[in-house]
Amino acid sequence: MSLSNPLQITLQPSGHQFETDAQTTLLQAALDQGFMLPYGCRNGACGSCKGKVLSGEVDYGAARDGALSAAERAQGMALFCCAKALTDVVIECREVGAARDIPIRTMPCRVESMQIVGQDDVMLLKLKLPANERLQFLPGQYIDILLKDGKRRSFSLASPPHQEGFIDLHIRRVPDGHFTGHVFDGMKVRDILRFEGPLGSFFLRDKPESNAVDGTERPALLVAGGTGMAPMASIIQHAIQVGSTRRMALYFGARTRADLYLHQQILDWQKQLPSLEYVPVLSDPAPQDDWTGRTGLVHHVAMQDIGNLSGWQAYVCGAPAMVDAAKKDFTQAANLPIEHFYADSFTYSAT
Ligand SMILES: Cc1cc2nc3c(=O)[nH]c(=O)nc-3n(C[C@H](O)[C@H](O)[C@H](O)COP(=O)(O)OP(=O)(O)OC[C@H]3O[C@@H](n4cnc5c(N)ncnc54)[C@H](O)[C@@H]3O)c2cc1C
């Protein structure tokens, strides 16, 4: 962000810092920078974003009395969804670090754009949220699309939490699939969907206290099979946004070159995130691919490269067989502590 008169905001106890201007609320500025403060209504009514101003001056904005009493104001409390900085400010606030801190909501959304990629079997779907709504989630979590017959279908959020107004999904077509078939054959731009979320405990642990080894942050091994790349896309874009320097190694596995549907995008992300290593792996390259890169099972290639995973943290996403094999091999053959293995297995709904 390039600001003419930047004001510095410091979050305590984390010490996170960023710049803002006098027109942007403290909550908005923090979210735009990828820092996850709790919030609810975002218009001064619910009090979910309440915290203390430790130093500096703020304009309290339109905080309602019911959500912020005069006594609380006198103690230095503010609603960060309304408050704007007038000077450099230090605020005390809880940063969302666990899925339980985030309310699960049901929301409508509208299909904004549809792009078919891969072997014509992956749909990049952009969904527009209702005006002034934002979905709070941790990078890696998923939503359930609610179908008219009461059934639900799970899809990982591929966009990062700081993306305003839209969420992205990567949907693989399942042969004879009820919902994914509709996505490819019936869905149109402007169609309305309903979803519930955010859901799941698969998300990037990026608080040093949750993953430190010998005083330094554990590097993160990201292993994606097919559209298992979707939550990794969210994690990587979040890391870029917060200026992460944590070492990340992404292994993206697919059958053929055409199935590496996000390859070019990942190379572009790498330019913005020097700490990201990227290894594409094909299990069954086509003769016309002229593939000179790595081949085999994606998690085996990661093990060949890294060897001992005892100091790592692993995030694995994709088909259930791949996730199961990675869990077994990483923890038994490569010494990954089981508590540092995180996965979302792309199972499907029971009929
Ligand atoms: C937490 C979570 C996150 C997920 N995230 C994603 C994502 O980001 N992108 C994505 O593409 N998928 C994702 N999935 C998988 C996705 O939910 C299913 O592919 C989807 O529910 C299939 O719906 P459908 O109505 O098209 O298929 P259904 O009509 O339910 O199934 C049709 C037939 O296909 C088989 N089938 C269904 N799904 C699969 C599958 N995934 N693999 C193999 N066979 C299947 C079933 O046996 C069934 O007989 C995720 C799953 C979970 C649990």
Side-chain angles (χ1 to χ4, degrees):
M1 184 168 35
S2 139
L3 298 163
S4 47
N5 286 311
L7 299 169
Q8 182 155 67
I9 309 301
T10 306
L11 308 180
Q12 292 296 8
S14 69
H16 287 142
Q17 287 190 319
F18 54 90
E19 289 184 345
T20 186
D21 56 30
Q23 284 78 46
T24 309
T25 66
L26 294 172
L27 173 67
Q28 186 67 44
L31 294 175
D32 288 347
Q33 303 291 314
F35 298 116
M36 290 193 252
L37 272 49
Y39 65 85
C41 68
R42 289 212 295 171
N43 62 15
C46 77
S48 303
C49 61
K50 194 182 299 177
K52 193 166 193 177
V53 180
L54 297 175
S55 71
E57 279 180 50
V58 300
D59 168 355
Y60 286 86
R64 316 241 180 110
D65 290 347
L68 184 72
S69 66
E72 286 175 321
R73 230 177 251 236
Q75 288 162 15
M77 306 299 279
L79 299 188
F80 298 139
C81 74
C82 306
K84 295 171 184 166
L86 297 171
T87 63
D88 290 350
V89 167
V90 179
I91 59 176
E92 184 179 65
C93 59
R94 190 168 55 86
E95 281 176 74
V96 173
R100 65 172 178 276
D101 295 337
I102 304 177
I104 297 169
R105 308 171 62 191
T106 301
M107 262 196 223
C109 57
R110 204 182 68 203
V111 177
E112 176 75 12
S113 66
M114 307 167 67
Q115 187 192 356
I116 296 177
V117 295
Q119 310 247 36
D120 292 342
D121 61 348
V122 175
M123 179 71 82
L124 305 186
L125 201 60
K126 188 174 278 298
L127 302 172
K128 185 171 179 19
L129 301 175
N132 301 321
E133 291 283 6
R134 182 172 194 143
L135 182 71
Q136 187 168 35
F137 61 95
L138 297 169
Q141 286 193 290
Y142 69 94
I143 56 168
D144 270 357
I145 301 278
L146 306 176
L147 308 187
K148 291 207 174 80
D149 57 9
K151 299 201 176 104
R152 39 175 73 217
R153 297 288 187 266
S154 307
F155 294 97
S156 305
L157 289 152
S159 41
H162 65 267
Q163 180 169 294
E164 180 96 24
F166 298 93
I167 53 173
D168 301 339
L169 305 179
H170 300 170
I171 298 185
R172 187 176 73 84
R173 180 182 202 137
V174 171
D176 300 322
H178 172 61
F179 176 70
T180 60
H182 169 72
V183 168
F184 281 79
D185 300 332
M187 184 178 276
K188 292 191 274 320
V189 168
R190 302 188 68 80
D191 278 2
I192 303 288
L193 299 175
R194 267 181 359 111
F195 71 86
E196 184 183 273
L199 301 168
S201 55
F202 179 78
F203 58 85
L204 182 71
R205 271 65 180 175
D206 59 357
K207 302 274 174 292
E209 62 273 17
S210 67
N211 60 31
V213 56
D214 299 335
T216 52
E217 214 172 6
R218 284 172 180 268
L221 169 60
L222 314 180
V223 179
T227 46
M229 191 53 221
M232 309 307 179
S234 179
I235 287 172
I236 291 167
Q237 291 174 87
H238 173 74
I240 292 171
Q241 183 69 10
V242 300
S244 170
T245 53
R246 179 183 187 182
R247 182 177 172 200
M248 284 188 181
L250 168 68
Y251 286 77
F252 181 17
R255 234 162 48 79
T256 69
R257 173 64 186 83
D259 295 304
L260 286 175
Y261 66 93
L262 221 58
H263 182 70
Q264 188 53 49
Q265 175 69 74
I266 298 167
L267 295 177
D268 290 346
W269 284 333
Q270 248 191 322
K271 292 181 196 140
Q272 301 169 63
L273 192 66
S275 53
L276 176 69
E277 296 154 30
Y278 169 45
V279 181
V281 181
L282 298 187
S283 62
D284 195 10
Q288 66 271 23
D289 287 345
D290 289 331
W291 183 250
T292 53
R294 310 295 292 279
T295 54
L297 294 179
V298 60
H299 82 281
H300 280 174
V301 173
M303 285 168 67
Q304 282 161 16
D305 287 357
I306 300 172
N308 185 0
L309 287 172
S310 61
W312 285 68
Q313 195 163 62
Y315 296 85
V316 181
C317 231
M322 187 272 267
V323 172
D324 293 347
K327 182 174 187 180
K328 182 164 167 284
D329 294 344
F330 285 176
T331 56
Q332 292 181 9
N335 304 319
L336 178 78
I338 185 98
E339 65 273 22
H340 288 290
F341 179 87
Y342 300 99
D344 252 352
S345 188
F346 283 6
T347 51
Y348 39 94
S349 313
T351 46

